[in-house]
């Protein structure tokens, strides 16, 4: 009887260890949950909402205009934090902000995904325009263009591809606002 109990406990411990290793691998290399902090992505994502980040997407394809991404940022206190923003400019794009309107390659921003392009920018930030997005970098903005620290500001600037954690693929919390993003 004692031998059977030891075997049962050992099998149970092995199952837990294997499950833990699988969870660690998935959350480290494939997917990560993340909470949105602040109002910079309103109305698309709100403070406190949980999203799922796909870390594998950009291993097989390049980030696209209008993708919502999570990326690493070092703030002025030299702390690494995660930001969630929308890609507006991709490598080689010319970005300009004139009278509160965003222009990409001399054409007014037009977003087929949402009402995003209809909100004028009150602050063009601290960058000097026009800007050419460097190779393997991205110009990102929060959907709440009047209240977002993003690529318009030198402290954030262009986001190198290597700093992108992944693409936001789904809002998982609150459950009643569950949404899959393209």
């Amino acid at each position: 009887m004692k031998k059977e109990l030891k075997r049962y406990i050992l099998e149970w411990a092995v199952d837990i260890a294997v499950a833990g290793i699988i969870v660690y691998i998935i959350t480290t290399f494939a997917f990560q949950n993340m909470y949105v902090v602040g109002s910079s992505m309103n109305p698309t994502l709100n403070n406190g909402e949980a999203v799922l980040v796909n870390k594998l997407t950009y291993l097989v394809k390049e980030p696209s205009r209008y993708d919502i991404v999570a990326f690493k940022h070092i703030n002025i206190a030299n702390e690494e934090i995660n930001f969630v923003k929308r890609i507006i400019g991709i490598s080689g794009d010319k970005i300009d902000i004139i009278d509160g309107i965003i222009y990409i390659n001399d054409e007014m921003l037009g977003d087929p995904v949402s009402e995003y392009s209809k909100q004028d920018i009150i602050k063009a930030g601290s960058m000097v325009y026009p800007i050419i997005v460097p190779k393997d970098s991205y110009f990102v903005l929060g959907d709440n263009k009047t209240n977002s620290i993003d690529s318009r500001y030198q402290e954030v600037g262009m986001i190198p591809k290597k700093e992108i954690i992944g693409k936001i693929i789904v809002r998982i919390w609150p459950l009643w606002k569950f949404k899959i993003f393209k």
Side-chain angles (χ1 to χ4, degrees), residues 1 27 44 47 71 89 91 109 156:
M1 180 76 162
T27 58
T44 309
N47 186 48
F71 62 93
S91 298
L109 174 67
V156 176

Side-chain angles (χ1 to χ4, degrees), residues 51-80:
V51 295
L52 189 62
V53 180
N54 181 339
K55 295 175 158 186
L56 301 174
T57 298
Y58 298 136
L59 296 177
V60 295
K61 71 175 201 154
E62 292 297 313
S64 300
R65 192 179 328 278
Y66 305 122
D67 284 355
I68 301 173
V69 297
F71 62 93
K72 300 173 197 169
H73 175 67
I74 306 296
N75 66 13
I76 56 175
N78 206 28
E79 302 165 322
E80 183 176 282

Side-chain angles (χ1 to χ4, degrees), residues 116-177:
Y116 179 70
S117 62
K118 295 188 166 118
Q119 183 186 35
D120 287 349
I121 289 179
I122 295 171
K123 291 182 182 180
S126 58
M127 299 295 269
V128 177
Y129 299 96
I131 297 169
I132 303 297
V133 180
K135 182 178 174 142
D136 294 325
S137 294
Y138 301 90
F139 185 90
V140 298
L141 292 177
D143 284 3
N144 182 358
K145 292 185 239 169
T146 60
N147 187 24
S148 178
I149 301 298
D150 46 39
S151 289
R152 294 175 289 167
Y153 297 90
Q154 290 178 359
E155 65 224 41
V156 176
M158 302 300 130
I159 307 305
K161 183 178 179 182
K162 66 182 181 185
E163 290 182 10
I164 294 177
I165 297 166
K167 180 178 180 178
I168 306 298
I169 56 171
V170 65
R171 175 177 35 222
I172 55 178
W173 187 262
L175 288 176
W176 56 272
K177 288 179 77 179

